[in-house]
Amino acid sequence: MIFLASMLGHPFMQRAFIAGAAVAVLCGLVGFFVVLRSLVFTGDALSHVAFTGSLGALAFGLSARLGVYVATAVVALLLAALGPRARANDVIIGSVFAWTLGLGVLFLSIFTATRATQNSTGGVSVLFGSIFGLNAHDTLVVVFVAFGVCAVVAFIARPLLFLSFDDAVARSRGVPVRILGYVSIVIVGITAAEATQAVGALLLLGLLAAPAATAGHLTTRPFRAMGLSALIAVLAVWAGLTFSYVASWMPPSTAILFVAAATYAIVFASSRFARRRLGVF
């Protein structure tokens, strides 16, 4: 208790825990559908779009947050317009991946050459996150955006589950498949933009995929898996922040992803062992 009181006595840790929890719940809920709908590679591509958008904004003297949201929203809408087959096509996603990453390197070069003296840590923050550097305003924005997106996810969860399991039957039952496709991809884009602040563009995919995959090994009930995914993500973020506070040499994003990946590895190994004991392969 003394340790917790000491750690949470710092305002930057309070903001990190609050913003981290908001981002974790968002990633846990959205990550469930990312894994269920096989959009993991799409989420990875959007994380690099977030990197490119933020650096592009910084290179031209604009807000990194504005660049992140604009870039991820535009590319998410483009992927949604291409349709489900195109989103599942590794060549198309890989091309978007490579193009945005190359553009991001260009913007990084421009930023470094012209504006790095004004914000020397901007590029590093985009890549690896800056959750310990959030101010009160940034924390409120993260919480409100996460709450809004989570509300949308909760509202469309049931038809989106229907669509994820059988889109043909869902379409025949009157589910707005096309609209839900657009909304789901845009939600992934917004989640990528938000999570970039916590774990950075390079490690974002781990927070989207690992908690959801872990929950999938613990239960087959979709709504229970969504809740477990969010809970695991929150615990991973809080544990990672605590570890990073204790071991100051460890970046918080690295600690968060280490906990998330280790949790998945333990649950996966345990479930495989249990199936072998029961004779199920």
Side-chain angles (χ1 to χ4, degrees):
M1 293 299 294
I2 296 175
F3 168 75
L4 287 176
S6 174
M7 180 177 66
L8 296 178
H10 301 288
F12 76 92
M13 287 301 298
Q14 296 171 10
R15 293 191 291 267
F17 267 74
I18 294 171
V23 169
V25 171
L26 178 59
C27 286
L29 294 180
V30 175
F32 170 78
F33 289 104
V34 167
V35 172
L36 182 64
R37 304 193 66 205
S38 300
L39 294 175
V40 174
F41 197 22
T42 301
D44 194 21
L46 287 173
S47 71
H48 288 75
V49 170
F51 160 74
T52 300
S54 57
L55 281 177
L58 289 173
F60 294 101
L62 302 175
S63 167
R65 182 186 293 274
L66 175 65
V68 166
Y69 281 116
V70 171
T72 53
V74 169
V75 175
L77 288 172
L78 175 61
L79 291 174
L82 292 175
R85 292 183 180 179
R87 292 197 300 272
N89 190 311
D90 287 347
V91 175
I92 293 177
I93 299 299
S95 299
V96 173
F97 190 114
W99 177 74
T100 55
L101 191 57
L103 199 59
V105 172
L106 172 62
F107 288 146
L108 178 60
S109 177
I110 295 173
F111 170 70
T112 303
T114 61
R115 298 183 182 274
T117 54
Q118 301 174 21
N119 183 9
S120 58
T121 63
V124 175
S125 298
V126 171
L127 288 172
F128 303 107
S130 57
I131 194 167
F132 282 160
L134 295 177
N135 56 38
H137 176 265
D138 292 336
T139 302
L140 283 176
V141 171
V142 169
V143 171
F144 280 121
V145 171
F147 178 80
V149 177
C150 286
V152 174
V153 172
F155 181 73
I156 66 173
R158 191 173 295 276
L160 191 56
L161 276 172
F162 195 6
L163 169 63
S164 301
F165 287 119
D166 196 328
D167 60 342
V169 176
R171 185 179 289 106
S172 68
R173 293 295 184 87
V175 175
V177 172
R178 188 68 170 172
I179 295 175
L180 277 179
Y182 275 92
V183 172
S184 63
I185 294 294
V186 171
I187 285 175
V188 175
I190 295 174
T191 304
E194 278 297 289
T196 296
Q197 299 176 85
V199 295
L202 290 182
L203 302 177
L204 181 150
L205 184 62
L207 195 57
L208 269 178
T214 304
H217 284 288
L218 294 173
T219 181
T220 57
R221 297 183 178 182
F223 289 107
R224 182 177 295 179
M226 288 175 62
L228 273 175
S229 178
L231 177 61
I232 292 168
V234 171
L235 293 177
V237 169
W238 283 356
L241 291 174
T242 303
F243 185 79
S244 182
Y245 176 78
V246 173
S248 57
W249 51 268
M250 175 71 75
S253 55
T254 303
I256 290 168
L257 268 298
F258 175 80
V259 174
T263 303
Y264 172 75
I266 292 170
V267 171
F268 176 77
S270 300
S271 63
R272 287 290 298 271
F273 178 75
R275 285 199 298 269
R276 288 180 181 275
R277 289 290 300 272
L278 295 172
V280 180
F281 298 95

